[in-house]
Amino acid sequence: MMEEEELEFVEELEAVLQLTPEVQLAIEQVFPSQDPLDRADFNAVEYINTLFPTEQSLANIDEVVNKIRLKIRRLDDNIRTVVRGQTNVGQDGRQALEEAQKAIQQLFGKIKDIKDKAEKSEQMVKEITRDIKQLDHAKRHLTTSITTLNHLHMLAGGVDSLEAMTRRRQYGEVANLLQGVMNVLEHFHKYMGIPQIRQLSERVKAAQTELGQQILADFEEAFPSQGTKPKKPKVPDNPFHGIVSKCFEPHLYVYIESQDKNLGELIDRFVADFKAQGPPKPNTDEGGAVLPSCADLFVYYKKCMVQCSQLSTGEPMIALTTIFQKYLREYAWKILSGNLPKTTTSSGGLTISSLLKEKEGSEVAKFTLEELCLICSILSTAEYCLATTQQLEEKLKEKVDVSLTERINLTGEMDTFSTVISSSIQLLVQDLDAACDPALTAMSKMQWQNVEHVGDQSPYVTSVILHIKQNVPIIRDNLASTRKYFTQFCIKFANSFIPKFITHLFKCKPISMVGAEQLLLDTHSLKMVLLDLPSIGSQVVRKAPASYTKIVVKGMTRAEMILKVVMAPHEPLVVFVDNYIKLLTDCNTETFQKILDMKGLKRSEQSNMLELLRQRLPTPPSGADGSSSLSLMAPTPEQESSRIRKLEKLIKKRL
């Protein structure tokens, strides 16, 4: 009966202590143990068999029992300690919960205070920004008002001067002034509803109309026309018409020789007057104006042409034309080309310190203000002579017999004046270009591998900008009447300066990553200045011509792409080479090697990269004439052999 009760107790105990697999797994993870007694599937019989595998092992039964009893006492002690330790847990837990609730309440209070302060700060910032916005609006409106008032003052004064110069028939000065007045008037299109502005606009239109009528009347007086289409005078039926004048034709050489002598003396007087009076004065209305001597020359030409045509329209007119050609060339050589300033080159080296000490071009031999104005004046005069010579040719063909019109040709003289114009523009370009050379030299001599941080634009950029701001406004103001040639000057300077800048850029080696970043910043600064070059220093901002902008963007973007390739890591090689081909459309091995030199790579490293570039460059299309930039590369033996075979086939076809 006792045994049955014990078995039932054991079964009930096992039922109570039966744990789920998840709980058992968690216990094993928290309290790992190798003791068989701790296993969930503990079997007492197996455990006893393990302790006493044989009958001989029962001799140690007392020792085993003692160890188990000792272990049971220790477990009882541990259970007793744990139970006693749990008596105060409930009270401690409640106390900790109360403290946590108090802490949460305090934290909530602080959060609420912070939120209130944040709302107050936000409201304060809104009030401050509202005041700042009002100030910004006021500043912008005030600036616009001041600018508009300045333009209005300029417009009113310009209209008064325009009307006065029109009455005095000062056409050279009017040409410069009218362009400026029209530019200023563009700013007032949206103000035409104001009566005073509309009145000024109407005065400008009236002055333009009056000016056109005056110029047309003066031109007709100088070169009287015979209708809208040039016609030869109809020969009357009188059979004696022209007989008298033809009788004197063999003797008109005396008249031609006299005009040859008079024109020679006139040219000499022009030369002497120029030496005595000097070039046109800068900072006056004379600056960049047409030389008055050219107008005197063509007035004398007109007088001679009218006189000769009254005497004869035959061979003497051809002889007079030859005299005209002779002195047009002499005027171009002695008065125009002969008075162009001579370029001078400065010797001596340049260092960074000398560049930093450079002030207003003192270190560079440049044209003076008077010389720049003289070049512009000669250019304007050459343009006037070119246009007037073309009109002269047309008038001579009208006056001479129809059978002789083919012998009237002043193309050579017009080409001479075109050469003077080109030489003048080239002088202006060379002067500004040479002034920028020391700065570019200083750039190439800087130790770019030692640059530690990127700052503002470098001193050499400041020097280039200084020279541009000194020269360009003078040239623009003095070529205001010949705007197309000012545009030519800008284009030629960009075509000269940008390749030279890139050439000096390749000399900057080796370059560190920071140095390349500084150079990229400098290049961008120069690009912005060049894009603004046509209107730099001008109160009236005009959009640069599209042809000029295209040249600057293309050239300076190439410089930026070169620096971006230099900044890129050269490993992995394939990525670096593909990046080079992608960024530079005119990629070739020569440019690639220069970039590798800028990165400071050794020749042994470069050879592998050059070979990889040749492999990855796109193959040029068949039948290409070699005009692409890839033709600059040295051909491979396979390409050379293919070319020889094509040449042989071509020769066979021809034979």
Side-chain angles (χ1 to χ4, degrees):
M1 191 65 180
M2 288 294 292
E3 292 180 356
E4 292 178 359
E5 292 178 357
E6 289 180 359
L7 288 173
E8 290 177 0
F9 175 77
V10 171
E11 289 176 359
E12 292 176 359
L13 184 62
E14 287 180 352
V16 174
L17 295 178
Q18 190 69 29
L19 301 176
T20 62
E22 293 80 3
V23 176
Q24 188 64 41
L25 179 62
I27 293 173
E28 290 178 357
Q29 291 177 351
V30 176
F31 303 105
S33 175
Q34 300 296 329
D35 194 340
L37 296 174
D38 293 333
R39 295 179 60 84
D41 57 349
F42 174 74
N43 190 313
V45 176
E46 290 181 1
Y47 181 68
I48 292 172
N49 290 334
T50 303
L51 294 177
F52 305 104
T54 61
E55 293 181 0
Q56 289 78 7
S57 60
L58 292 174
N60 299 326
I61 189 171
D62 294 334
E63 183 180 352
V64 172
V65 170
N66 291 332
K67 288 182 179 180
I68 291 175
R69 287 175 178 171
L70 178 61
K71 192 171 186 178
I72 290 172
R73 284 198 298 273
R74 289 178 179 173
L75 287 174
D76 291 339
D77 292 339
N78 291 338
I79 290 171
R80 193 180 301 108
T81 302
V82 170
V83 171
R84 289 176 180 175
Q86 292 297 320
T87 56
N88 297 327
V89 169
Q91 184 179 356
D92 294 340
R94 285 191 295 275
Q95 185 177 357
L97 179 61
E98 292 175 358
E99 291 178 356
Q101 290 176 345
K102 291 180 180 179
I104 290 172
Q105 290 177 355
Q106 293 176 357
L107 180 61
F108 180 76
K110 291 181 179 179
I111 292 175
K112 187 176 180 181
D113 292 341
I114 293 174
K115 182 179 179 182
D116 295 340
K117 291 180 180 179
E119 291 177 352
K120 292 180 180 178
S121 301
E122 182 180 2
Q123 184 64 28
M124 187 181 300
V125 170
K126 286 182 179 178
E127 294 177 357
I128 294 174
T129 53
R130 184 171 59 249
D131 295 339
I132 293 175
K133 286 181 181 178
Q134 291 178 352
L135 290 174
D136 287 340
H137 289 312
K139 178 183 177 182
R140 184 163 58 252
H141 294 159
L142 183 60
T143 303
T144 304
S145 301
I146 293 173
T147 304
T148 305
L149 286 175
N150 289 334
H151 287 160
L152 181 60
H153 178 71
M154 293 167 60
L155 180 62
V159 171
D160 294 338
S161 301
L162 182 64
E163 292 175 342
M165 290 179 181
T166 302
R167 289 193 297 269
R168 293 196 296 267
R169 299 180 183 272
Q170 296 175 330
Y171 298 138
E173 293 79 357
V174 166
N176 296 329
L177 180 60
L178 183 58
Q179 180 65 41
V181 171
M182 296 304 297
N183 291 337
V184 175
L185 190 60
E186 291 179 359
H187 295 278
F188 291 93
H189 282 323
K190 56 185 177 181
Y191 303 117
M192 285 302 171
I194 302 175
Q196 291 81 356
I197 302 297
R198 188 168 58 251
Q199 183 180 3
L200 287 174
S201 177
E202 292 172 353
R203 286 174 63 188
V204 172
K205 292 180 181 178
Q208 284 181 293
T209 303
E210 182 181 357
L211 188 62
Q213 294 174 350
Q214 284 185 6
I215 293 175
L216 185 60
D218 293 347
F219 183 80
E220 290 178 348
E221 181 181 352
F223 299 97
S225 62
Q226 298 178 359
T228 57
K229 294 184 178 180
K231 297 180 180 178
K232 296 299 295 178
K234 185 177 180 182
V235 180
D237 296 336
N238 186 355
F240 298 100
H241 177 77
I243 292 179
V244 176
S245 60
K246 286 186 177 180
C247 293
F248 286 96
E249 273 190 4
H251 307 285
L252 283 179
Y253 71 91
V254 177
Y255 173 80
I256 302 300
E257 290 178 353
S258 173
Q259 298 305 331
D260 186 4
K261 180 181 178 182
N262 292 340
L263 282 170
E265 293 174 353
L266 186 63
I267 294 295
D268 292 338
R269 180 166 64 82
F270 289 162
V271 174
D273 290 345
F274 189 92
K275 290 181 179 179
Q277 299 174 6
K281 304 296 185 294
N283 301 323
T284 64
D285 293 339
E286 295 180 3
V290 175
L291 297 178
S293 57
C294 70
D296 297 340
L297 177 66
F298 284 104
V299 168
Y300 192 86
Y301 273 16
K302 176 226 171 183
K303 177 182 176 182
C304 294
M305 182 177 61
V306 172
Q307 289 177 348
C308 186
S309 63
Q310 291 173 350
L311 298 174
S312 173
T313 57
E315 287 294 333
M317 285 291 290
I318 301 299
L320 183 64
T321 300
T322 304
I323 298 300
F324 285 174
Q325 291 174 301
K326 173 184 175 181
Y327 288 101
L328 283 174
R329 292 191 297 268
E330 284 204 14
Y331 184 86
W333 295 333
K334 293 183 178 180
I335 306 299
L336 301 182
S337 297
N339 287 308
L340 283 174
K342 303 297 184 292
T343 57
T344 57
T345 56
S346 58
S347 60
L350 182 81
T351 61
I352 297 296
S353 59
S354 66
L355 178 62
L356 293 174
K357 294 178 182 178
E358 177 183 344
K359 292 183 179 179
E360 298 186 4
S362 59
E363 294 289 328
V364 184
K366 291 176 57 179
F367 287 145
T368 62
L369 173 61
E370 291 76 13
E371 289 174 329
L372 289 176
C373 292
L374 173 59
I375 296 173
C376 295
S377 182
I378 290 175
L379 192 156
S380 301
T381 304
E383 184 201 25
Y384 175 87
C385 291
L386 175 62
T388 312
T389 301
Q390 186 176 3
Q391 298 172 9
L392 177 64
E393 182 186 57
E394 296 172 358
K395 287 297 177 183
L396 286 170
K397 288 183 177 180
E398 291 178 20
K399 298 290 184 183
V400 77
D401 292 339
V402 177
S403 59
L404 301 176
T405 53
E406 296 298 326
R407 295 173 61 182
I408 304 292
N409 187 355
L410 304 184
T411 304
E413 288 64 42
M414 287 186 266
D415 291 342
T416 301
F417 290 118
S418 295
T419 303
V420 174
I421 293 173
S422 299
S423 300
S424 302
I425 294 175
Q426 192 60 34
L427 274 179
L428 296 173
V429 171
Q430 288 177 354
D431 179 55
L432 182 55
D433 207 13
C436 298
D437 277 346
L440 297 181
T441 304
M443 176 191 76
S444 61
K445 291 184 178 181
M446 287 183 64
Q447 301 297 321
W448 291 103
Q449 73 274 21
N450 296 332
V451 177
E452 297 179 355
H453 61 277
V454 179
D456 295 331
Q457 63 187 26
S458 302
Y460 74 87
V461 178
T462 305
S463 178
V464 170
I465 295 175
L466 173 64
H467 291 304
I468 290 175
K469 288 185 176 180
Q470 287 176 342
N471 281 34
V472 173
I474 298 173
I475 297 171
R476 182 184 58 244
D477 294 342
N478 284 279
L479 294 182
S481 60
T482 56
R483 186 75 187 181
K484 62 179 181 180
Y485 291 117
F486 173 70
T487 301
Q488 286 188 22
F489 159 77
C490 295
I491 291 175
K492 287 189 175 183
F493 174 71
N495 281 328
S496 174
F497 176 81
I498 294 175
K500 188 179 295 186
F501 173 75
I502 293 177
T503 301
H504 282 79
L505 195 64
F506 283 130
K507 296 179 181 179
C508 300
K509 54 185 179 181
I511 304 178
S512 64
M513 176 64 72
V514 179
E517 291 177 356
Q518 180 65 51
L519 268 174
L520 186 61
L521 174 65
D522 295 341
T523 302
H524 183 72
S525 298
L526 286 174
K527 179 180 179 181
M528 292 297 102
V529 172
L530 289 175
L531 287 174
D532 191 44
L533 184 139
S535 61
I536 194 168
S538 174
Q539 293 182 351
V540 181
V541 179
R542 297 178 59 172
K543 186 177 180 180
S547 56
Y548 170 78
T549 302
K550 183 178 179 181
I551 292 171
V552 173
V553 170
K554 181 178 179 181
M556 296 305 290
T557 300
R558 182 171 186 267
E560 291 175 337
M561 292 301 104
I562 290 171
L563 290 171
K564 287 184 179 180
V565 175
V566 172
M567 292 168 61
H570 62 277
E571 290 180 352
L573 301 183
V574 175
V575 176
F576 179 75
V577 171
D578 289 346
N579 190 41
Y580 166 74
I581 296 174
K582 178 182 177 181
L583 292 178
L584 291 175
T585 55
D586 57 339
C587 53
N588 53 62
T589 53
E590 183 181 358
T591 303
F592 187 67
Q593 187 160 13
K594 290 179 180 178
I595 291 176
L596 298 181
D597 291 337
M598 293 173 72
K599 291 179 71 68
L601 298 179
K602 298 179 181 179
R603 291 292 177 180
S604 58
E605 297 175 299
Q606 293 185 16
S607 58
N608 295 332
M609 302 179 76
L610 287 169
E611 184 60 29
L612 181 60
L613 173 67
R614 293 189 183 98
Q615 295 174 3
R616 300 188 72 82
L617 277 176
T619 305
S622 60
D625 58 358
S627 60
S628 66
S629 61
L630 296 179
S631 63
L632 297 176
M633 298 188 306
T636 62
E638 292 80 9
Q639 293 173 337
E640 194 67 33
S641 176
S642 176
R643 291 179 183 176
I644 293 174
R645 287 196 298 271
K646 289 181 181 178
L647 183 60
E648 289 174 351
K649 290 181 181 178
L650 182 62
I651 293 173
K652 289 178 181 179
K653 287 184 179 180
R654 294 291 176 87
L655 293 176

